[in-house]
Amino acid sequence: MPSFAPSASWEVLRRRAELFASLRRFFDERGFLEVETPLLCRDSVVDVHLEPFVVPLLAEEGGLRYLQTSPEFAMKRMLAAGAEAIYQVTRAFRRGEQGRWHNPEFTMVEWYRVGDDLRAGMAHLAELADRLLGQVPREQSYAEAFRESVGIDPLEAPDEELSEAARVRGWNGSSHDERDDWLDFLFATVVVPSLRADVPILLYHYPASQAALARLAPDDARVAERFELFFRGVELANGYHELTDANEWRRRAESANERRRKRGRPPIPVESWLLEAMEQGLPPASGTALGFDRLVMTALGKESLAEVMAFPWDRA
Amino acid sequence: MTGRSIAAERHGGASTPVFPDVRGLATIGAARGGTFVPLGRTDRTSSELTWNWENDTVAVYKTSEFRKGLKVQIDGEPYLMIEMNFVKPGKGNALYKCKLRNLIRNTVIDRTYKGGDSLEAADVEETEAQFLYRQGDTFVFMDSKTFEQYELSADQVGDNWKYLKDGMVCNMVLFNGNPITVTPPNHVILKVEYCEPGAKGDTATNVTKPVKVETGAEFPAPIFINMGDLIKIDTRTGEYVERVKN
């Protein structure tokens, strides 16, 4: 095939469109409102490991804007302004993420429902997985999956034990290493490959240090009410019982920026429309983001995103 | 076989200023003394564009440049990147899972690097060299183009001594200008110096006997081979291929 042509076959692109239709029916049946939010915003999710594309503008146009790494901030502003159940199919952009399972520009499905807690959020994602993948996911806590494959308790093990476990498995450490570096490494190279490939799995209760925008578990401050869906060794979705405490988010965003500085990455503004919305009052809710290209890839048994996207990065 | 200068490729690649991510971004949304300044400038000064590359004594590959075929240095030894996979948890650090082959010992190691790590480039070059002579445990070669002479130890030559005839042109790999491996052509023709007399008329090739060739090495060969015959040996397997007409 010449490189001007799509890298995915027409058969795959047709199946992809069917999955889209099926996904929209799923949300419509449940009374979710489909919404749209801007891609070029003044603020962006503050995360140590998410690098937004920064779009420079003239000073009189406001300096710069961020291509959204997810529609999270804008959708939560809608929740604070009265939305009850919303979903969106959009493009998300993440700088530097490119590989077999990564494309810097990708399709994301994100939804929120007011009143849902961790269990309800997981149940909703499980129903969606059942509809689109034809299988109900198995559930396991992050710590249990970690203990089963690595043989170490990720919540209790001292730093030295984790760093040594990472080192013997090929981690090339440095003095800047943090606990999450070893956890992420062991998770990505030991835990995920050991998950059963034939059944989707929902992992929940991530370590509190990886809470991102999830609230901590009320009965166990070591873990966050965060869950992820995996299938065929690929991370498909990430969900939270949402953090609603503005002060806590300000504290986490500042700490994320501090860690970004240490790693030589530019900070992302802590002041944001979201923070304003949270100060106003964000209703309790659960929200999930799903990588649609990866879902298509695993649903069709394909090995790379290029097989399920018309024009991946190198053809865009 | 043509000598291919990998070092030249590398220098060619490195002469294009490859911007560290941080610098590129810092000029746009910059941190100035810890305060976020959203109205940063978007231009780059010429001094930034010509940043340091000429003064850099060691070329370095950043993780974003990692790819199959890269030649890098780890603990002072040269490695070839034979596999590279990018993995990144949605809310976690980017990881680059690499398989690397040691170009001296041929062993393969798995290493995982995180975003922002880097590896030194290895100055590895391939050349053609003629085997001149052996003196004890020292094998002397001459670069076919520069006429420079190189001495390799028996360790470095390994099993390849079995195939080395005076004047034979081999492939040589240089690391920082020093030879690390030498590879003879895939097929060599060697003269049989000694063997038990051949059974006349027996042309079976599946029954073998040891024959000693001019290099002093022994190979299994069919029983019809006689002293003075020329035989072709596959240097990759050490197996007899055929008898060559004198």
Side-chain angles (χ1 to χ4, degrees):
Chain A
M1 266 296 184
S3 51
F4 74 81
S7 60
S9 71
W10 286 112
E11 168 59 14
V12 166
L13 293 177
R14 193 180 57 75
R15 301 276 300 275
R16 184 181 167 115
E18 286 168 6
L19 284 165
F20 252 136
S22 170
L23 175 114
R24 284 204 157 94
R25 267 198 308 277
F26 176 89
F27 283 104
D28 294 344
E29 285 163 11
R30 281 157 183 78
F32 277 70
L33 178 70
E34 181 166 3
V35 297
E36 294 164 279
T37 54
L39 289 175
L40 281 170
C41 298
R42 291 184 183 83
D43 51 19
S44 186
V45 175
V46 189
D47 187 290
V48 186
H49 301 294
L50 282 186
E51 226 37 79
F53 286 93
V54 182
V55 179
L57 302 175
L58 296 175
E60 57 269 31
E61 295 170 326
L64 60 82
R65 293 215 171 193
Y66 297 96
L67 263 175
Q68 294 297 285
T69 53
S70 84
E72 181 161 8
F73 276 24
M75 289 181 80
K76 285 183 176 172
R77 285 161 62 190
M78 288 180 163
L79 294 184
E84 285 170 2
I86 48 174
Y87 81 102
Q88 169 161 217
V89 178
T90 186
R91 286 304 173 92
F93 300 83
R94 295 180 179 184
R95 197 166 170 259
E97 299 190 13
Q98 198 192 351
R100 196 153 59 96
W101 296 344
H102 292 84
N103 201 64
E105 174 181 355
F106 61 102
T107 299
M108 183 176 261
V109 181
E110 187 151 326
W111 62 91
Y112 293 86
R113 187 160 59 189
V114 172
D116 278 2
D117 58 8
L118 175 80
R119 298 306 321 173
M122 285 173 65
H124 189 254
L125 177 56
E127 277 177 50
L128 180 66
D130 187 23
R131 173 74 66 91
L132 299 180
L133 301 171
Q135 293 188 78
V136 181
R138 195 163 73 85
E139 293 178 8
Q140 196 177 26
S141 76
Y142 175 100
E144 195 188 324
F146 201 99
R147 276 196 305 269
E148 267 182 15
S149 51
V150 185
I152 291 178
D153 186 334
L155 306 177
E156 292 296 332
D159 284 0
E160 306 77 63
E161 193 180 351
L162 281 174
S163 71
E164 178 59 13
R167 197 192 57 77
V168 300
R169 287 171 175 88
W171 173 252
N172 180 51
S174 75
S175 54
H176 309 297
D177 284 356
E178 301 172 20
R179 189 175 176 88
D180 279 337
D181 288 321
W182 306 314
L183 285 175
D184 281 349
F185 169 76
L186 291 167
F187 186 76
T189 59
V190 185
V191 182
V192 174
S194 76
L195 298 174
R196 266 175 66 188
D198 55 336
V199 191
I201 181 158
L202 260 170
L203 295 181
Y204 60 94
H205 279 163
Y206 274 62
S209 58
Q210 300 179 11
L213 277 145
R215 65 172 69 190
L216 299 187
D219 52 347
D220 185 355
R222 298 175 308 163
V223 296
E225 295 201 315
R226 176 182 159 198
F227 51 97
E228 290 222 343
L229 176 68
F230 288 84
F231 187 40
R232 298 188 202 276
V234 186
E235 178 189 353
L236 295 186
N238 175 45
Y240 308 137
H241 184 201
E242 301 292 344
L243 178 72
T244 52
D245 181 340
N247 290 331
E248 173 64 9
W249 171 240
R250 184 187 295 277
R251 197 189 59 73
R252 286 188 200 174
E254 277 166 359
S255 144
N257 268 338
E258 191 45 49
R259 291 165 71 197
R260 289 177 64 84
R261 273 190 205 99
K262 278 190 194 142
R263 289 164 193 249
R265 294 175 187 172
I268 290 165
V270 170
E271 297 307 324
S272 62
W273 295 113
L274 174 70
L275 204 53
E276 207 177 306
M278 286 174 92
E279 275 157 3
Q280 192 70 221
L282 187 63
S286 175
T288 302
L290 170 93
F292 187 72
D293 311 277
R294 288 185 179 181
L295 178 119
V296 176
M297 177 181 83
T298 52
L300 304 185
K302 300 294 181 193
E303 300 293 327
S304 69
L305 291 184
E307 292 173 80
V308 300
M309 304 178 84
F311 301 117
W313 196 240
D314 58 352
R315 293 187 186 210
Chain B
M1 226 180 333
T2 42
R4 189 161 57 90
S5 167
I6 292 141
E9 276 175 35
R10 171 172 71 77
H11 294 314
S15 68
T16 324
V18 186
F19 254 79
D21 283 3
V22 182
R23 287 193 149 232
L25 254 185
T27 51
I28 300 172
R32 306 253 192 278
T35 332
F36 182 66
V37 183
L39 305 183
R41 70 199 156 82
T42 59
D43 59 317
R44 288 170 176 162
T45 64
S46 58
S47 69
E48 277 176 313
L49 281 172
T50 52
W51 177 66
N52 223 345
W53 285 104
E54 270 109 65
N55 304 333
D56 249 1
T57 46
V58 198
V60 159
Y61 293 116
K62 298 184 295 114
T63 41
S64 54
E65 299 170 273
F66 280 12
R67 59 175 193 280
K68 232 157 93 171
L70 226 56
K71 294 193 176 67
V72 297
Q73 238 183 112
I74 301 169
D75 301 331
E77 292 194 338
Y79 286 82
L80 175 70
M81 198 171 279
I82 52 178
E83 231 179 274
M84 204 293 282
N85 273 315
F86 176 74
V87 276
K88 183 183 181 300
K91 299 281 173 187
N93 212 337
L95 299 172
Y96 299 77
K97 291 167 81 173
C98 306
K99 270 196 195 316
L100 299 139
R101 193 171 73 229
N102 186 305
L103 291 174
I104 298 175
R105 284 173 279 117
N106 222 28
T107 48
V108 174
I109 59 168
D110 289 297
R111 284 283 177 101
T112 301
Y113 298 91
K114 58 176 180 291
D117 282 348
S118 57
L119 283 171
E120 272 181 37
D123 181 3
V124 173
E125 193 180 352
E126 272 181 65
T127 186
E128 280 177 12
Q130 209 175 16
F131 175 58
L132 296 182
Y133 59 89
R134 173 181 183 170
Q135 196 168 43
D137 275 348
T138 304
F139 294 74
V140 182
F141 291 83
M142 181 181 67
D143 191 304
S144 304
K145 283 188 284 292
T146 64
F147 306 114
E148 190 163 339
Q149 289 195 14
Y150 297 109
E151 292 186 354
L152 276 87
S153 68
D155 254 10
Q156 287 174 305
V157 173
D159 273 352
N160 288 326
W161 69 269
K162 293 178 179 176
Y163 312 108
L164 293 177
K165 278 203 305 192
D166 293 1
M168 183 181 280
V169 176
C170 296
N171 182 266
M172 183 177 276
V173 178
L174 302 172
F175 172 50
N176 292 333
N178 301 313
I180 51 169
T181 60
V182 66
T183 315
N186 291 342
H187 293 103
V188 296
I189 292 165
L190 299 168
K191 190 174 179 184
V192 177
E193 299 235 297
Y194 178 79
C195 67
E196 297 297 323
K200 235 195 168 79
D202 189 346
T203 54
T205 52
N206 56 342
V207 187
T208 62
K209 62 179 180 186
V211 304
K212 191 171 180 181
V213 298
E214 55 188 306
T215 61
E218 271 189 7
F219 294 98
I223 52 175
F224 60 78
I225 296 296
N226 276 308
M227 283 194 274
D229 280 352
L230 295 177
I231 59 171
K232 188 192 272 188
I233 301 287
D234 188 323
T235 62
R236 293 160 298 188
T237 58
E239 278 168 10
Y240 166 91
V241 179
E242 63 185 1
R243 178 163 58 177
V244 182
K245 289 275 177 291
N246 281 12

